[in-house]
């Protein structure tokens, strides 16, 4: 019964009781430089490519980092996690979804919450390096991709454990929560960023993507209905939300995975706390700190967050 009723996370100060303060500070004001990565352009099976940033040491342990929506391999949460695990002796691989990381991909396809084929190619890239233990950490959308990967694919035995942080396990619920109150600010920023990419794609493929329709977008619902869903083979926005929601694949997971979702996360709705599934599963652990915001979890007198420290402890616990 891997439902963790009592989290050890203690928020660092009274101001971090505010979900938006924690979230915005972690996203905009916290600074953490990326480690000295090597970047490789990895060719994909469909003729496209993605960029992977990595640091390899002489250890037989590696960790794969999966970034969130409109993020990239060098977001602050990824950087602090990468440096933390590097200091613990891990090689680190931080991959960029298509269109992310500063270079537009070749094909019309962008990325989405169910892009486990791309993640699988990253996993194979890492496994081919000869590591004996591989771990995975995903933030927000990257956490969704990670959970879907574990639930949809035959996982190599060298993948020992994973952690998903601030992860919307039910996409439709998360989408509705983001339309409420101050949360609309986050949604508006996502919409602006993705519209910019869609316009670039429309210039690349004018016969495939309707530029006029992009100009008419006013909500994120329209992004998913008219672009994300049809570009990636889904019948509609609702079809996309249901098919990529990890809520429907968690029961298939047989690799130990910890979900860390704070109860004050402004991106998550009630169905993003899969308590019943965790209670019945031998592999899916759920930890729900009272505070932490979205991809934040700051610690007092530490440049790291609770999330990466908890991930490391969870990984160690699975090898006992």
């Amino acid at each position: 019964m891997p439902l963790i009723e009592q989290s050890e996370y203690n928020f660092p100060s009274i101001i971090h009781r505010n979900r938006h303060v924690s979230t915005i500070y972690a996203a905009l004001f916290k600074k953490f430089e990326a480690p000295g990565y090597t970047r490789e352009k990895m060719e994909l099976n469909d003729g496209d490519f993605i960029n992977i940033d990595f640091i390899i040491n002489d250890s037989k342990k590696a960790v794969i980092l999966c970034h969130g929506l409109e993020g990239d391999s060098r977001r602050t949460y990824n950087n602090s996690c990468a440096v933390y695990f590097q200091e613990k002796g891990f090689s680190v691989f931080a991959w960029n979804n298509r269109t992310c990381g500063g270079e537009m991909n070749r094909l019309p396809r962008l990325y989405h919450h169910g892009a486990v084929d791309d993640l699988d190619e990253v996993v194979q890239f890492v496994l081919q390096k000869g590591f004996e233990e591989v771990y995975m950490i995903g933030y927000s959308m990257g956490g969704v991709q990670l959970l879907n990967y574990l639930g949809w694919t035959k996982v190599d035995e060298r993948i020992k454990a994973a952690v998903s942080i601030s992860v919307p396990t039910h996409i439709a619920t998360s989408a509705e929560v983001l339309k409420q109150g101050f949360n609309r600010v986050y949604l508006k920023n996502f919409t602006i960023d993705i519209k910019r990419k869609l316009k670039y794609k429309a210039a690349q493929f004018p016969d495939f993507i309707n530029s006029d329709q992009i100009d008419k977008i006013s909500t994120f619902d329209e992004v998913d209905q008219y672009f994300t869903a049809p570009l990636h083979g889904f019948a509609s926005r609702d079809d996309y939300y249901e098919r990529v929601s990890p809520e429907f694949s968690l029961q298939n997971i047989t690799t130990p995975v910890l979900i860390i979702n704070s109860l004050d996360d402004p991106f998550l709705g009630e169905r993003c706390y899969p308590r019943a599934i965790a209670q019945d599963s031998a592999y899916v652990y759920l930890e729900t700190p009272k505070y932490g915001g979205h991809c934040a979890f700051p610690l007092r007198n530490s440049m790291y967050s609770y999330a990466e420290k908890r991930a490391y402890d969870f990984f160690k616990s699975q090898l006992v």
Side-chain angles (χ1 to χ4, degrees):
M1 298 176 64
L3 178 61
I4 301 168
E5 298 281 4
Q6 188 64 44
S7 172
E8 295 182 1
Y9 176 62
N10 294 311
F11 56 94
S13 66
I14 195 168
I15 66 168
H16 287 101
R17 289 184 180 182
N18 185 296
R19 63 184 66 194
H20 300 299
V21 169
S22 289
T23 300
I24 292 170
Y25 170 77
L28 298 180
F29 299 106
K30 182 181 177 181
K31 303 299 180 185
F32 205 114
E33 293 298 319
Y37 283 129
T38 295
R39 171 164 288 195
E40 182 168 330
K41 182 179 290 187
M42 188 178 81
E43 296 293 327
L44 299 172
N45 291 332
D46 65 358
D48 212 338
F49 71 90
I50 57 175
N51 286 311
I52 302 179
D53 291 337
F54 58 89
I55 293 180
I56 298 178
N57 58 31
D58 57 4
S59 170
K60 293 299 182 182
K61 300 181 294 184
V63 62
I64 298 171
L65 305 183
C66 308
H67 66 78
L69 185 71
E70 282 305 286
D72 57 45
S73 62
R74 303 189 184 209
R75 282 295 168 96
T76 296
Y77 53 76
N78 253 26
N79 291 345
S80 61
C81 190
V83 172
Y84 184 82
F85 275 87
Q86 185 187 12
E87 291 177 349
K88 296 294 185 181
F90 288 71
S91 293
V92 178
F93 295 80
W95 71 291
N96 293 277
N97 278 273
R98 304 186 198 211
T99 77
C100 300
E103 187 175 7
M104 192 61 68
N105 62 318
R106 299 188 191 111
L107 302 183
R109 174 178 168 178
L110 284 77
Y111 67 88
H112 60 86
H113 289 75
V116 301
D117 52 345
D118 287 354
L119 178 52
D120 184 56
E121 293 200 49
V122 173
V123 170
Q124 300 311 314
F125 175 87
V126 174
L127 291 174
Q128 288 167 12
K129 304 292 184 185
F131 294 102
E132 296 174 0
E133 299 174 23
V134 176
Y135 302 86
M136 304 173 72
I137 298 175
Y139 291 87
S140 196
M141 181 200 72
V144 173
Q145 292 174 328
L146 189 161
L147 292 174
N148 284 331
Y149 176 78
L150 297 179
W152 293 353
T153 65
K154 180 176 173 57
V155 179
D156 190 283
E157 63 182 8
R158 288 168 288 179
I159 306 293
K160 300 300 183 182
V163 174
S164 284
I165 299 158
S166 301
V167 55
T169 57
H170 188 262
I171 306 298
T173 301
S174 175
E176 289 305 308
V177 167
L178 281 168
K179 297 175 187 176
Q180 301 170 10
F182 185 83
N183 294 349
R184 291 193 294 267
V185 173
Y186 306 122
L187 202 59
K188 182 179 180 180
N189 289 335
F190 286 141
T191 304
I192 291 170
D193 290 344
I194 292 179
K195 280 180 67 174
R196 188 180 300 117
K197 288 185 176 179
L198 287 171
K199 287 187 176 182
Y200 188 100
K201 283 294 177 186
Q204 279 185 304
F205 304 99
D207 296 331
F208 194 78
I209 298 177
N210 187 333
S211 180
D212 292 337
Q213 194 172 44
I214 297 171
D215 291 331
K216 296 176 184 177
I217 290 175
S218 60
T219 68
F220 202 82
D221 282 352
E222 293 170 319
V223 171
D224 286 337
Q225 178 66 26
Y226 298 117
F227 295 97
T228 307
L231 277 173
H232 301 104
F234 299 97
S236 65
R237 181 193 68 213
D238 292 340
D239 178 54
Y240 165 60
Y241 287 169
E242 179 165 353
R243 287 169 58 186
V244 304
S245 288
E247 178 182 292
F248 306 110
S249 58
L250 288 175
Q251 65 270 20
N252 299 323
I253 291 177
T254 57
T255 302
V257 60
L258 170 65
I259 298 171
I260 308 174
N261 282 354
S262 71
L263 296 175
D264 71 340
D265 192 319
F267 287 46
L268 304 183
E270 178 55 33
R271 285 180 69 172
C272 295
Y273 302 91
R275 297 176 180 87
I277 293 173
Q279 285 178 324
D280 293 338
S281 174
Y283 300 98
V284 178
Y285 294 71
L286 175 65
E287 181 174 343
T288 56
K290 185 175 182 180
Y291 300 104
H294 188 73
C295 297
F297 302 100
L299 289 171
R300 188 185 300 274
N301 299 322
S302 176
M303 59 183 177
Y304 298 114
S305 77
Y306 174 76
E308 52 250 27
K309 292 188 174 186
R310 182 68 178 91
Y312 177 68
D313 288 342
F314 179 72
F315 294 159
K316 286 197 303 181
S317 73
Q318 296 307 308
L319 295 178
V320 175

